[in-house]
Amino acid sequence: MKTLVLSSIGALLLAACTTPTTPAPSTACVDASLKNPAVLCTADYDPVCGCDGKTYSNACNATNGAGVKSFTKGACPDKK
C-alpha cells in the first residue's frame, strides 16, 4: 500500500514538473528594458490601451513605467 501511495505521489509530482507552461499573452508585448524610472512622466490624463490589455494614464507611463511596446489611443474596453 505504501508503494502505491508513494508511486502515485511521485507520478503527480513528475506530471506537474513536466507540464509545459505557456507564457501569458500580456508578457509578449512588455519589454522590461523599456522601463525607465529616471524618466518623470507628467500627470496628464490622456489614456492609452496597452497591448497587455491595461489602460495607462498616458503614453509615457505605458512605456517608461510599464515597458509596454505598443498601445492605442484611448482607454481599453471594459472586460465583461
Side-chain angles (χ1 to χ4, degrees):
M1 187 64 166
K2 279 185 180 180
T3 305
L4 179 62
V5 170
L6 291 175
S7 296
S8 297
I9 291 172
L12 286 172
L13 288 173
L14 181 62
C17 292
T18 59
T19 304
T21 56
T22 314
S26 64
T27 59
C29 74
V30 174
D31 182 353
S33 70
L34 294 176
K35 293 181 182 181
N36 188 351
V39 173
L40 297 176
C41 298
T42 65
D44 295 340
Y45 187 70
D46 186 14
V48 295
C49 180
C51 52
D52 58 354
K54 296 179 183 176
T55 299
Y56 296 92
S57 59
N58 58 47
C60 181
N61 285 317
T63 304
N64 297 300
V68 175
K69 291 181 186 178
S70 65
F71 48 83
T72 57
K73 199 148 180 66
C76 296
D78 289 334
K79 293 179 184 177
K80 293 180 181 184

